[in-house]
Structure formats: structure tokens, C-alpha cells
Amino acid sequence: MVPGGASHWQRCQFKGLTRVNGSLVLTPQSAEMPARSAVAARTLSLVGLAKAGDRAAFGQLVEEHYDFIFRTACKWTGRKSDAEDIAQEVCIKLATAIQSFDGRSAFTSWLYRVTLNMVRDMQRSSSRRDRNIDAFTLVHPEDDPGEQEEATTAREIWTAVSELPEKQREAIMLVYAEDMSHAEAAGIMGCKEATVSWHIHEAKKTLRGLL
């Protein structure tokens, strides 16, 4: 279940959403990164066992990361049913794909990339790209006026973002919705950091016109 419903996602995706002189402005937020070395070490241990054929370790790895996969898919598709389908497909694919994890990045970064690739495949094969923000474009009548204003602002942002070229949209999502650095986004997108910066630059120019 998507936490808080659609309006919750509208207000939470772009935490750096502000209005300046009547214009919408996106500013990345600094995410708190608590020390997770113990968790990371345990995850790598499970990955090693899973790659060696330990089914119990693989099952535990999937169980511990299923919510992460589902939330990631839900953010990118905006549809709970699609996110569930993608999460299931990712879990199936992991049985073989895990052999390609080489440890050069965090396991969650690698898993995010695998999930995003599955989202791309689903959107292309089902021709749903234009509907990938449906769940974020609802303004609930029970919301108070302040919340409705926030939701309406978020709807304007999501509508504009949905009209960006694919790579620009992905760069904006990763940097502004996921609070990733340009370097982290580059790792997910499989390109150079400078390329992400260029996509962000071009997206901002486009968004200024759309917003």
C-alpha cells in the first residue's frame, strides 16, 4: 500500500519545492545518511552466499529488500498494481542477475538500477509512459485549503516533469525526488556525472517554460 495515499506522495516527492516570485523552484535537499556499515556488511554477506547458491540467503535478501523494490517502482510508475508487477519481476530476475553484482557500488544502488530498468521495460512495452504520474495528480477534496494548494503545486510539477525527455526526467527524479547527488544519479543511469549535470541543466530550462 502506498503510504498516505496519492496526495501524500504529491507533497513528499519534491521536498525542495518552493515558489519564488510566483514561479515554482526546485532545490535539492540534503538527505541524512546515518552510518549503516553493519547493515551493508550483512547485506554483502547475504549476497555472497546467494551468489554461491544458498537459497535461504537469497530468500532472506529478497525479503529484506522487497519493500525497497516496491517503493522504488511505485515512485516511478505512480500505480500500485504496476509497482507490484515490477517488484515480482525484479525478484524473479534477481535469481540470475545477482551474479552480475560486483560490489563496486552499494547493493541498494545496484538494486535501484535493476528496478529502474524493469520500470523502463514495462513502460515501453505497455505504452504507459504518459500515465506514469497518475497516482500523484489527485487533489483530495477532504484536504484542507493549505494541503490542496500544496497538492495543486505538486500536480503542476509532476505534469511538467512528465513532459520532459526520458533522460532529463530520470535525472530530475533521481536528484530532486530521491535526494541523490549527481554522481549517485550517474551510477543509476549508467552515464558520466557531467552527463547528469547536463540533463539537469536542460531540464531546468524546459521546466522554466512549462511552469
Side-chain angles (χ1 to χ4, degrees):
M1 185 79 179
V2 179
S7 62
H8 170 87
W9 282 93
Q10 286 178 312
R11 292 188 290 271
C12 292
Q13 289 305 295
F14 287 105
K15 298 176 183 178
L17 180 62
T18 56
R19 282 188 180 275
V20 177
N21 296 326
S23 299
L24 296 174
V25 178
L26 292 171
T27 55
Q29 304 293 293
S30 298
E32 294 182 3
M33 297 296 290
R36 297 176 179 175
S37 57
V39 174
R42 180 173 178 278
T43 297
L44 288 178
S45 177
L46 287 175
V47 169
L49 292 171
K51 291 175 71 172
D54 188 324
R55 293 186 179 182
F58 177 77
Q60 189 170 353
L61 192 66
V62 169
E63 181 178 354
E64 292 182 0
H65 290 83
Y66 181 85
D67 286 346
F68 172 81
I69 297 169
F70 174 79
R71 289 196 306 270
T72 299
C74 205
K75 286 181 181 180
W76 285 89
T77 65
R79 301 173 66 90
K80 180 176 180 289
S81 59
D82 287 345
E84 290 174 340
D85 290 343
I86 288 170
Q88 292 173 12
E89 290 298 320
V90 169
C91 290
I92 293 172
K93 183 176 181 178
L94 282 180
T96 54
I98 198 169
Q99 297 297 332
S100 67
F101 177 68
D102 56 14
R104 288 185 295 178
S105 63
F107 180 72
T108 50
S109 295
W110 176 83
L111 187 55
Y112 192 107
R113 186 161 58 249
V114 171
T115 305
L116 179 54
N117 286 337
M118 190 66 72
V119 170
R120 290 169 177 161
D121 291 343
M122 183 278 290
Q123 290 177 341
R124 288 166 181 163
S125 63
S126 62
S127 300
R128 299 180 197 171
R129 185 177 305 172
D130 291 337
R131 300 190 299 168
N132 68 342
I133 59 165
D134 284 356
F136 305 118
T137 59
L138 300 175
V139 179
H140 287 191
E142 66 270 19
D143 289 340
D144 64 38
E147 291 178 328
Q148 284 199 18
E149 182 178 355
E150 290 179 11
T152 301
T153 297
R155 179 167 59 183
E156 294 175 11
I157 284 287
W158 280 108
T159 299
V161 170
S162 73
E163 296 176 6
L164 293 171
E166 183 180 85
K167 293 300 183 182
Q168 291 181 24
R169 183 170 65 248
E170 290 181 358
I172 286 289
M173 284 281 289
L174 292 171
V175 173
Y176 290 98
E178 297 287 1
D179 280 343
M180 291 186 183
S181 67
H182 288 201
E184 290 170 330
I188 297 296
M189 295 177 67
C191 62
K192 295 180 179 179
E193 183 176 349
T195 302
V196 172
S197 298
W198 182 80
H199 285 315
I200 292 291
H201 175 71
E202 291 299 304
K204 284 183 175 180
K205 290 197 300 183
T206 303
L207 288 173
R208 288 191 192 101
L210 293 174
L211 299 175

